[in-house]
Amino acid sequence: MFKLMAVDLVARRHTTLYSKYHGKKIVKEGGRFKMSLEQDQKSYYMARLEITSVENSDSGDYRAVAKNKLGEGTATINLNFEGGDKPKLKDSTVCITAGDFARDLREATRTRLSTECIKWKCMPEGQRDQKGFSPLYRRVYSRTRDKTTCGDTSVSRINFRIPDGKAPRFPKKPTIRQDGDILVMECILEANPVPEITWYQGTKIISDSKRVRMSRKATGKDTYLLTLEISNPTKEDGGNYRCNAFNNFGESNANIALNFQGGDEAGFAPSFVEKPRIIPNETGTLITMRCKCKAKPKPTVTWYRGTTVVKESSKIKMKIKEKEEDAYELTLEIKDPSGEDGGTYRCNVKNEYGESNANLNLNIEAEPEPEGDGPTFVEKPRITSDKGGKLVKMDCTVKANPKPTIVWYHEGKVVKESSKISILIEQKNDIYYIKLELKDPGTEDSGLYKCNIKNSMGELNANLTLNVEIIPVIKEKPKITKIIKRKAVVVECTVQSKFAPQCTWFKEANAVREDSRHSVRIEQIKEGEFAVKLEIESCIAADKGKYKLVAKNEKGEAISQIVELIDIPIEEEKKPGEKPTIIKGLTTLTVEEGKSAEFVAQLKTVDKTVTVTWYK
């Protein structure tokens, strides 16, 4: 019996079909021929052909073909008997794997191929290794010997001829995609020497045409990228495609199924059905990029500019609109486009069945950049005073080209020249000296001043805060408020001042010092106006007398008129059955938001049994 262990198969999915050929004739199992397929490892299979009672007619090329869902692979082995005698094999078995005889033949080839061949020492059937194959012992013999001896069996010389090379193999699953209106099928192939490539649609050979282009590109040693491109694909282009690769060592096929709408009820990958378009409006203020695709289910859409994902904003809007069943219109709108919006855009559509891309090039002619410089400060803006504070100067120095427009603002209002205000601008080359002069400033002139400097190249603002301080002013006489329940007195006076003044209350000629019964509070009523209060708790007879207020700041001081406290609050007991009588009602108060407000009403007599209800 003669055994040919011809092929180690590598398959990531279960091999569904395995067959052997002798020349062009398929080898059928039965009689002297026995075939088997054994799994060696997770993704490896051993295909075996056993021939008993070997004859000279059994010599020639043997080919093993293995197929699964993703394609097929082929390996070829040549068996040649030298001499005309029929081999005589009795009780021994020759076990040959593809790796064994390929390796040993290469060793012989590197030494003396013309004068030497390989002898295999045979082992009895019972002596097998753990994988089930007989151990092999190799020895190189001179060609001058006609026969070799294996145990007690005489064997005619058998010469295996395996040239150095690689059968075609597709190591990865083929891919299919769409670039614009071109459908692209790609396969990665390994082979040596370069194989013949044939593409099929069904059983029909595909040829190059105006719509169809085939290419092969070397990507590495013995590695190639095979491409089939179809322009403007239609439903008629659907079906099963096959890429066949053939060389002297074997052949292999890669299978691709191209399904269009209607062929798969569950769904199909997105594909673009029209050439993408760029549509500007008449005024050029809006550019719309539009694509149409078919997909089931509805695809997710992502727009790219170069390699950056485009996001929606006030300038950019993206829409997807279903026009008919499983057909969608995809748009990207750019408002007020400029030169920086130009470039290569890509619309990517994807669902669970696949994805596709459409490319668009947006060219926008940008307006020429204007020449010049925006305003910049040469010196820091500043405020100075002159003539003993009677003249205030605000000035700044800027550089600008072209000439800028200059506008002054006070608290948000445009400042205009008058007998009190002067605005001066001096120019030397592209340097501008800007001044605002204010005569006899008062508190009303205080606040934020802004100088706006602007030209076609840019804009600049100088912000200056002016604080004008004046002598405090006390226009009204202090007033006295009595709080009967607390036996308290509040002496209050209003002072006008830019900032809170330093305040001192006097009783007669002596300053009132703050203690547990005496306290001074200063509260801002509004901008430039303060309420100054002297509060006296638990009044006694010694608190009677004349009071005045002295208010000071950096500019000077003001003294109020004198107010006299004659009576101190005394609670009077109400007679039984007497009606409560209010002798002093509530007064209107104006307070700053966030501050406290106190409303006081006074009864004629003390009555702790009365019920008090407040209303707003």
Side-chain angles (χ1 to χ4, degrees):
M1 179 173 64
F2 184 84
K3 292 186 179 178
L4 253 181
M5 300 288 196
V7 182
D8 278 329
L9 296 176
V10 180
R12 297 193 180 274
R13 297 191 180 182
H14 189 270
T15 303
T16 58
L17 179 62
Y18 156 63
S19 56
K20 287 261 185 191
Y21 293 83
H22 181 199
K24 294 185 178 180
K25 182 180 178 182
I26 191 168
V27 179
K28 296 183 179 180
E29 188 169 20
R32 296 187 301 114
F33 300 94
K34 181 182 179 182
M35 292 185 291
S36 63
L37 182 66
E38 301 174 4
Q39 186 170 4
D40 183 17
Q41 299 178 22
K42 184 177 180 180
S43 298
Y44 290 84
Y45 297 83
M46 178 66 72
R48 176 184 298 175
L49 171 64
E50 297 181 3
I51 308 173
T52 59
S53 303
V54 182
E55 300 175 353
N56 285 333
S57 61
D58 294 326
S59 65
D61 290 331
Y62 285 81
R63 182 160 53 97
V65 180
K67 296 182 180 180
N68 66 12
K69 287 180 66 175
L70 299 182
E72 65 181 64
T74 303
T76 303
I77 299 174
N78 181 272
L79 175 62
N80 181 39
F81 301 112
E82 292 187 357
D85 296 333
K86 175 181 177 180
K88 298 176 182 179
L89 302 172
K90 294 182 179 179
D91 301 323
S92 301
T93 300
V94 176
C95 246
I96 304 169
T97 66
D100 287 329
F101 63 62
R103 181 167 55 253
D104 286 317
L105 183 59
R106 290 182 187 123
E107 291 175 359
T109 302
R110 283 195 294 270
T111 55
R112 293 180 293 280
L113 181 61
S114 60
T115 61
E116 295 178 338
C117 68
I118 303 166
K119 176 192 175 185
W120 301 83
K121 184 177 180 181
C122 308
M123 301 295 293
E125 283 282 357
Q127 298 183 17
R128 303 275 179 159
D129 63 13
Q130 60 182 357
K131 293 185 179 180
F133 305 130
S134 298
L136 302 175
Y137 298 86
R138 310 170 181 80
R139 189 176 302 166
V140 178
Y141 277 76
S142 170
R143 181 176 289 212
T144 57
R145 300 182 61 178
D146 292 331
K147 296 184 177 181
T148 61
T149 301
C150 181
D152 58 354
T153 302
S154 179
V155 183
S156 295
R157 183 185 318 188
I158 301 174
N159 179 31
F160 298 94
R161 295 183 291 104
I162 300 181
D164 195 10
K166 184 186 298 184
R169 184 174 79 94
F170 292 95
K172 295 183 179 180
K173 184 178 179 180
T175 61
I176 183 170
R177 71 175 194 277
Q178 187 166 346
D179 286 339
D181 54 0
I182 299 177
L183 185 72
V184 182
M185 303 182 200
E186 290 181 335
C187 305
I188 296 175
L189 172 69
E190 294 178 356
N192 182 22
V194 178
E196 296 179 9
I197 306 299
T198 307
W199 285 87
Y200 294 84
Q201 182 186 10
T203 58
K204 180 183 176 182
I205 295 177
I206 301 173
S207 302
D208 277 329
S209 65
K210 291 182 179 180
R211 292 180 56 247
V212 179
R213 187 170 73 91
M214 293 170 284
S215 63
R216 179 185 65 207
K217 179 182 178 182
T219 57
K221 183 180 180 182
D222 302 336
T223 305
Y224 305 89
L225 178 65
L226 311 181
T227 304
L228 173 66
E229 296 181 353
I230 304 175
S231 298
N232 300 311
T234 63
K235 289 184 179 180
E236 287 71 25
D237 294 312
N240 295 320
Y241 285 77
R242 177 165 59 96
C243 179
N244 175 270
F246 172 83
N247 67 11
N248 293 335
F249 291 87
E251 66 179 305
S252 187
N253 290 282
N255 299 320
I256 305 172
L258 177 59
N259 297 318
F260 285 93
Q261 182 181 6
D264 186 354
E265 292 300 326
F268 52 88
S271 62
F272 288 94
V273 295
E274 289 185 8
K275 185 176 181 180
R277 299 175 61 195
I278 298 178
I279 308 168
N281 66 356
E282 293 182 357
T283 59
T285 57
L286 182 69
I287 285 179
T288 302
M289 300 186 194
R290 180 179 299 165
C291 304
K292 290 186 178 180
C293 78
K294 288 189 174 182
K296 184 179 181 181
K298 182 178 179 180
T300 58
V301 181
T302 307
W303 287 87
Y304 295 84
R305 180 175 177 270
T307 58
T308 304
V309 175
V310 179
K311 297 182 179 180
E312 281 199 313
S313 63
S314 59
K315 182 182 178 72
I316 296 175
K317 301 294 181 185
M318 290 175 279
K319 301 176 183 177
I320 175 170
K321 183 178 181 182
E322 187 169 9
K323 303 294 288 184
E324 55 189 62
E325 185 177 3
D326 301 330
Y328 302 90
E329 181 180 82
L330 320 172
T331 57
L332 183 147
E333 296 178 351
I334 304 176
K335 184 180 178 182
D336 298 325
S338 59
E340 61 184 15
D341 296 315
T344 301
Y345 286 77
R346 175 165 60 94
C347 180
N348 173 269
V349 286
K350 180 190 299 185
N351 66 13
E352 61 190 272
Y353 292 94
E355 64 180 289
S356 189
N357 293 279
N359 297 323
L360 305 95
N361 289 315
L362 177 61
N363 296 317
I364 299 177
E365 292 185 3
E367 296 182 0
E369 292 291 334
E371 296 183 357
D373 299 302
T376 55
F377 287 117
V378 176
E379 295 179 1
K380 184 178 179 180
R382 60 178 183 169
I383 297 178
T384 57
S385 63
D386 198 3
K387 298 181 181 179
K390 295 292 185 180
L391 179 65
V392 172
K393 299 179 181 179
M394 305 179 203
D395 59 72
C396 56
T397 305
V398 299
K399 181 178 181 181
N401 181 27
K403 182 178 180 178
T405 58
I406 298 166
V407 180
W408 283 90
Y409 296 87
H410 176 221
E411 296 295 337
K413 295 182 180 180
V414 176
V415 177
K416 297 181 179 180
E417 286 193 294
S418 63
S419 58
K420 186 174 182 176
I421 297 175
S422 300
I423 298 175
L424 307 172
I425 301 173
E426 298 178 7
Q427 179 184 359
K428 186 175 182 181
N429 297 325
D430 56 356
I431 304 296
Y432 296 84
Y433 302 91
I434 305 164
K435 294 182 181 180
L436 184 149
E437 294 184 349
L438 178 63
K439 299 176 183 177
D440 298 322
T443 54
E444 69 278 3
D445 298 314
S446 297
L448 176 65
Y449 286 79
K450 181 174 74 172
C451 181
N452 177 265
I453 307 110
K454 178 168 59 177
N455 66 10
S456 59
M457 302 301 296
E459 183 175 354
L460 191 65
N461 288 296
N463 295 327
L464 299 161
T465 301
L466 176 63
N467 294 317
V468 179
E469 184 65 279
I470 59 173
I471 297 173
V473 175
I474 301 175
K475 294 183 177 181
E476 298 178 356
K477 180 180 179 180
K479 60 182 179 179
I480 296 176
T481 303
K482 298 177 182 179
I483 306 173
I484 304 297
K485 187 175 181 179
R486 290 164 37 198
K487 289 187 178 182
V489 170
V490 177
V491 186
E492 182 177 348
C493 187
T494 301
V495 180
Q496 293 180 348
S497 175
K498 178 63 180 175
F499 302 103
Q502 297 177 2
C503 296
T504 305
W505 283 97
F506 286 83
K507 180 178 176 292
E508 311 302 341
N510 299 318
V512 178
R513 299 183 181 275
E514 291 190 89
D515 53 27
S516 59
R517 290 197 312 112
H518 298 81
S519 60
V520 177
R521 288 196 299 162
I522 302 175
E523 299 174 353
Q524 186 171 9
I525 301 173
K526 60 182 180 180
E527 182 76 21
E529 190 170 317
F530 297 86
V532 184
K533 299 178 181 180
L534 170 63
E535 296 183 358
I536 307 172
E537 298 287 341
S538 303
C539 288
I540 58 177
D543 294 319
K544 295 180 181 180
K546 297 178 180 179
Y547 290 84
K548 66 179 179 181
L549 173 67
V550 176
K552 296 181 179 180
N553 64 16
E554 294 179 354
K555 297 293 183 178
E557 67 178 26
I559 303 174
S560 72
Q561 300 178 50
I562 295 173
V563 63
E564 186 174 2
L565 176 59
I566 300 173
D567 299 319
I568 60 175
I570 299 174
E571 288 187 342
E572 297 181 8
E573 292 295 334
K574 177 186 174 186
K575 297 178 182 179
E578 184 180 352
K579 179 181 177 180
T581 304
I582 296 176
I583 62 171
K584 182 178 180 182
L586 303 179
T587 58
T588 300
L589 297 180
T590 302
V591 297
E592 183 181 352
E593 183 178 0
K595 302 292 184 179
S596 62
E598 184 180 75
F599 295 93
V600 179
Q602 183 179 344
L603 293 174
K604 179 179 180 181
T605 57
V606 176
D607 185 357
K608 296 182 180 180
T609 65
V610 343
T611 299
V612 180
T613 304
W614 288 88
Y615 295 89
K616 179 176 180 292

